[in-house]
Amino acid sequence: MGGAVDGAERVIVFFRADRHRLARRPPADIPENTARQQQAIADRMARRYGHPVILVERPGTYGSSGNHLRTRYSAEFLALNATLDRLRERYKLKSFVLYGHSGGATAAAALLTMGRRDISCAVLTSGAFSLLERARYMDARAGKTPRASLAAHVYDPLVHVDGIVPDSSRRIIMIGNEHDQITPFALQRKFADVVRKKGHRIDLINHAAIGPDFHNLTASVGMRTAASCAGGKA
């Protein structure tokens, strides 16, 4: 945690992208894989953006227990949902601004669908949605036979949009790049369209990204947008 978290009106909660490759390496070989280094990151983000920040690590990464190779399973998102409950209770928090990138954006979207009433804003950058379609797309790119189904425990936020609580003051901001080769922009748009049709306030923004896969966006746009949301300016 970075900044003055106790009793904060709004806290930015950051969920990182998948770390599948790092999860297969010895802990000592993973960059910034100590409590001191992670604390320094949280402190730096809080200073730079002017709001308290909590880094919530997804299962199996940076000291969090669990198997990170089972990303997007229901268990992952239920654990993160329970984590927010515990944080709110322990630190008397009023509301969360969720920011997630890639698989972290999928996680933040899943939390939206779990009936939470304490999310004032969600910033989702380059997220993975419509997970079976995306899996088939990735199989085709790899020259594999597209799969017919996903594991039974996979949780696709697109399927659970009805769980998003109506809240006219809440912002959902999706940011991606139309040339993204990892999480297709068309599937991000599909999620945004379904959420919008359900009456929620959501924006989808096409932003510059780094080639050749155009997945990681430029200019720290995700965190800057989350900070604007936390300040009531987005």
Side-chain angles (χ1 to χ4, degrees):
M1 298 184 293
V5 170
D6 278 301
E9 184 70 28
R10 293 189 184 92
V11 172
I12 299 172
V13 175
F14 178 36
F15 301 107
R16 290 183 234 237
D18 294 348
R19 292 292 189 265
H20 291 155
R21 292 180 182 176
L22 292 180
R24 294 182 171 91
R25 293 168 60 176
D29 292 345
I30 297 174
E32 299 178 320
N33 197 32
T34 70
R36 178 177 294 181
Q37 289 169 314
Q38 291 301 309
Q39 183 62 58
I41 292 171
D43 290 340
R44 185 164 59 247
M45 292 174 73
R47 286 195 303 269
R48 179 175 180 181
Y49 295 103
H51 297 281
V53 175
I54 300 177
L55 308 183
V56 174
E57 301 308 342
R58 296 164 60 201
T61 62
Y62 299 108
S64 177
S65 62
N67 184 352
H68 188 61
L69 300 183
R70 293 181 179 177
T71 49
R72 286 170 278 288
Y73 277 33
S74 299
E76 174 186 10
F77 301 144
L78 290 170
L80 296 177
N81 193 50
T83 298
L84 293 190
D85 288 343
R86 185 67 180 272
L87 287 169
R88 188 188 65 229
E89 177 185 357
R90 182 172 181 178
Y91 297 102
K92 311 301 180 188
L93 303 176
K94 304 298 190 301
S95 68
F96 297 108
V97 173
L98 303 186
Y99 165 42
H101 177 66
S102 192
T106 310
L111 294 175
L112 279 169
T113 70
M114 291 183 171
R116 301 199 68 91
R117 298 177 180 274
D118 52 10
I119 300 172
S120 60
C121 182
V123 179
L124 317 174
T125 60
S126 303
F129 302 101
S130 192
L131 298 180
L132 180 56
E133 281 188 80
R134 177 182 177 268
R136 289 171 172 167
Y137 164 80
M138 297 300 287
D139 287 341
R141 279 195 68 199
K144 301 177 182 178
T145 300
R147 67 197 76 183
S149 63
L150 295 174
H153 299 297
V154 168
Y155 187 103
D156 187 344
L158 182 62
V159 177
H160 299 280
V161 165
D162 284 344
I164 302 177
V165 173
D167 183 348
S168 60
S169 67
R170 182 190 54 229
R171 296 290 309 278
I172 305 173
I173 304 171
M174 299 181 65
I175 311 174
N177 183 275
E178 61 185 351
H179 302 297
D180 194 329
Q181 301 298 300
I182 306 299
T183 56
F185 195 68
L187 300 184
Q188 297 177 52
R189 181 183 294 112
K190 183 175 182 178
F191 180 79
D193 288 345
V194 171
V195 171
R196 188 177 297 110
K197 287 177 182 177
K198 295 293 183 178
H200 303 289
R201 187 181 179 194
I202 186 168
D203 297 298
L204 176 63
I205 300 167
N206 180 31
H207 187 83
I210 302 167
D213 58 25
F214 299 97
H215 183 61
N216 292 322
L217 306 177
T218 63
S220 302
V221 64
M223 190 62 194
R224 286 193 295 106
T225 303
S228 293
C229 262
K233 299 177 183 178

